[in-house]
Amino acid sequence: MTIRWGILGCGDVTEVKSGPGFQRARGSRLVAVMRRDAAKAADYARRHNVPRWYSDAQRLIDDPEVDAVYIATPPGAHLELALLVAAAGKPAYVEKPLARSFAECRRMIEAFDAARRKLFVAYYRRRLPRFVIAKELIDSGRLGDITAVNYQWCSPPPTNAAIWRLSAEQAGAGLFLDLGSHTLDLLDFLLGELSEVRGSAGNLAGLCEVEDAVAMTFRSPCGALGAAQWNFAASHRRDLIEITGRQARLVMTTFGNEPISLIGADAAQETFDRPNPAHVQQPLIQSIVDDLSGEGTCPSTGHTAARTSRVMDQALEAYYGGRDDDFWRRSESWPGRAPIARFPRPQ
């Protein structure tokens, strides 16, 4: 059985990270792509040897030779497109975060459950080799009882980020949703669903109206307390996860490609080098193809991704004054509503 894929939104993320993975995975073919700019859609199809291209999403969704659809647009379009795919009775693979809020995630899940079709999400770290070994180390008890979880991200203010990543209407928030979602979903994969989430956010650099700093605390299923911080207005770069147990601690990064380290109570260090594949989404895409073919199970579903979105909503609740109202459907000028009420600016 071969799963024939169509891509909605063949932008940068599909050039190397995901697009070639649909061609290289066993039992998988990329047969159609869509982009609103017809010339760019045609160019992508030509360069990647894709048989057909479209400039209209519905035409790709309705293509009888497309079995499953990959939605690779900014999050602001995920809900609308996902509902169209569900209505067509086809499974979907959606870029992360699944949607701009937990409420939108819930609507998508309900639509695919009603259609009896599967919904997958591009939290591809759940299948990258170094994180698979990290989970094996934790589950095998090498760390002992987990007692603490800590994460820190620092980076200078963005200068070349795609504009949609800094638009609450299109992204759902700032870079926290785009980048922070990877770490939070990874912690969900490694440890289980996070609870007792408390968070605060702020705008420190003043370059945009979305948040550029987030700090949060949480509890893991085993009872360990955790803390995480994202600072997109720093002087330096830092990306560090530490999971501490009674016998050892696990040290790694979310976005790097270096070995992970297991450091014992006696400071003895064991490293595990599991480099990323050339196309980082390919292992997860393979698990989706296997799932749709009845030969395996994909670990990143609408339900697991919605848990991550709920955690992010909880962390951002106070900053945005709520994450489940008609604000997210307004234009960037927010007619009829004063922006200051939704985006507290530093004095």
Side-chain angles (χ1 to χ4, degrees), residues 39-195:
K40 290 183 177 180
D43 176 66
Y44 186 98
R46 177 186 57 78
R47 289 186 293 105
H48 291 273
N49 297 314
V50 181
R52 293 183 302 287
W53 60 268
Y54 299 97
S55 59
D56 178 81
Q58 192 66 62
R59 289 188 62 197
L60 180 141
I61 293 169
D62 292 339
D63 187 329
E65 294 189 22
V66 170
D67 301 315
V69 178
Y70 169 41
I71 300 174
T73 65
H78 286 183
L79 174 61
E80 177 184 3
L81 293 174
L83 294 181
L84 292 176
V85 175
K90 296 182 179 183
Y93 175 46
V94 184
E95 263 303 325
K96 43 58 56 185
L98 175 56
R100 297 177 299 177
S101 68
F102 176 68
E104 288 190 346
C105 293
R106 190 168 56 238
R107 288 185 61 191
M108 293 163 71
I109 290 169
E110 290 170 353
F112 280 88
D113 285 350
R116 297 187 178 183
R117 292 296 181 267
K118 294 188 175 184
L119 175 61
F120 307 100
V121 185
Y123 285 119
Y124 55 85
R125 282 169 174 77
R126 288 175 175 251
R127 271 295 170 262
L128 286 183
R130 65 196 192 98
F131 297 122
V132 171
I133 194 69
K135 183 167 178 59
E136 291 173 355
L137 291 170
I138 293 170
D139 291 350
S140 68
R142 293 285 304 275
L143 279 69
D145 295 334
I146 304 298
T147 57
V149 183
N150 292 279
Y151 179 69
Q152 186 178 40
W153 167 272
C154 293
S155 63
T159 57
N160 59 352
I163 190 63
W164 66 262
R165 288 186 170 89
L166 301 176
S167 162
E169 185 182 19
Q170 288 300 311
L175 291 176
F176 173 62
L177 248 66
D178 185 43
L179 299 179
S181 59
H182 277 296
T183 300
L184 291 170
D185 188 80
L186 178 58
L187 293 178
D188 183 284
F189 171 63
L190 295 174
L191 303 171
E193 185 173 1
L194 306 182
S195 62

Side-chain angles (χ1 to χ4, degrees), residues 7-344:
I7 297 179
L8 297 178
C10 49
D12 288 347
V13 73
T14 69
E15 289 288 349
V16 177
K17 288 184 177 181
S18 60
F22 294 103
Q23 304 280 46
R24 295 172 181 268
R26 297 184 308 277
S28 174
R29 286 180 58 211
L30 178 58
V31 299
V33 296
M34 171 268 164
R35 194 165 181 173
R36 287 178 298 179
D37 186 318
K40 290 183 177 180
D43 176 66
Y44 186 98
R46 177 186 57 78
R47 289 186 293 105
H48 291 273
N49 297 314
V50 181
R52 293 183 302 287
W53 60 268
Y54 299 97
S55 59
D56 178 81
Q58 192 66 62
R59 289 188 62 197
L60 180 141
I61 293 169
D62 292 339
D63 187 329
E65 294 189 22
V66 170
D67 301 315
V69 178
Y70 169 41
I71 300 174
T73 65
H78 286 183
L79 174 61
E80 177 184 3
L81 293 174
L83 294 181
L84 292 176
V85 175
K90 296 182 179 183
Y93 175 46
V94 184
E95 263 303 325
K96 43 58 56 185
L98 175 56
R100 297 177 299 177
S101 68
F102 176 68
E104 288 190 346
C105 293
R106 190 168 56 238
R107 288 185 61 191
M108 293 163 71
I109 290 169
E110 290 170 353
F112 280 88
D113 285 350
R116 297 187 178 183
R117 292 296 181 267
K118 294 188 175 184
L119 175 61
F120 307 100
V121 185
Y123 285 119
Y124 55 85
R125 282 169 174 77
R126 288 175 175 251
R127 271 295 170 262
L128 286 183
R130 65 196 192 98
F131 297 122
V132 171
I133 194 69
K135 183 167 178 59
E136 291 173 355
L137 291 170
I138 293 170
D139 291 350
S140 68
R142 293 285 304 275
L143 279 69
D145 295 334
I146 304 298
T147 57
V149 183
N150 292 279
Y151 179 69
Q152 186 178 40
W153 167 272
C154 293
S155 63
T159 57
N160 59 352
I163 190 63
W164 66 262
R165 288 186 170 89
L166 301 176
S167 162
E169 185 182 19
Q170 288 300 311
L175 291 176
F176 173 62
L177 248 66
D178 185 43
L179 299 179
S181 59
H182 277 296
T183 300
L184 291 170
D185 188 80
L186 178 58
L187 293 178
D188 183 284
F189 171 63
L190 295 174
L191 303 171
E193 185 173 1
L194 306 182
S195 62
E196 299 181 28
V197 176
R198 301 289 184 273
S200 59
N203 183 303
L204 304 180
L207 299 179
C208 56
E209 290 186 310
V210 293
E211 81 293 336
D212 59 17
V214 178
M216 60 180 287
T217 59
F218 54 87
R219 186 183 295 272
S220 71
C222 67
L225 300 181
Q229 183 181 40
W230 290 262
N231 180 357
F232 299 100
S235 62
H236 62 289
R237 296 185 179 275
R238 185 173 178 82
D239 173 17
L240 180 65
I241 303 173
E242 285 193 325
I243 301 175
T244 302
R246 292 174 61 86
Q247 298 175 19
R249 60 190 170 100
L250 191 61
V251 179
M252 55 191 166
T253 66
T254 300
F255 297 99
N257 197 22
E258 64 283 330
I260 62 175
S261 297
L262 183 69
I263 304 172
D266 59 357
Q269 181 170 323
E270 187 176 357
T271 60
F272 301 85
D273 190 8
R274 302 291 189 277
N276 291 338
H279 309 291
V280 291
Q281 291 198 28
Q282 186 175 337
L284 185 68
I285 290 170
Q286 185 66 65
S287 76
I288 294 171
V289 171
D290 292 344
D291 195 314
L292 293 175
S293 302
E295 299 176 359
T297 302
C298 174
S300 184
T301 67
H303 291 278
T304 63
R307 296 202 300 257
T308 294
S309 288
R310 181 169 55 202
V311 167
M312 293 189 294
D313 276 6
Q314 291 167 337
L316 295 174
E317 174 78 20
Y319 185 81
Y320 287 98
R323 302 282 293 164
D324 185 12
D325 61 28
D326 64 357
F327 168 77
W328 305 106
R329 291 180 289 278
R330 295 178 180 269
S331 69
E332 291 192 4
S333 59
W334 305 293
R337 188 193 293 259
I340 191 69
R342 306 300 290 194
F343 294 92

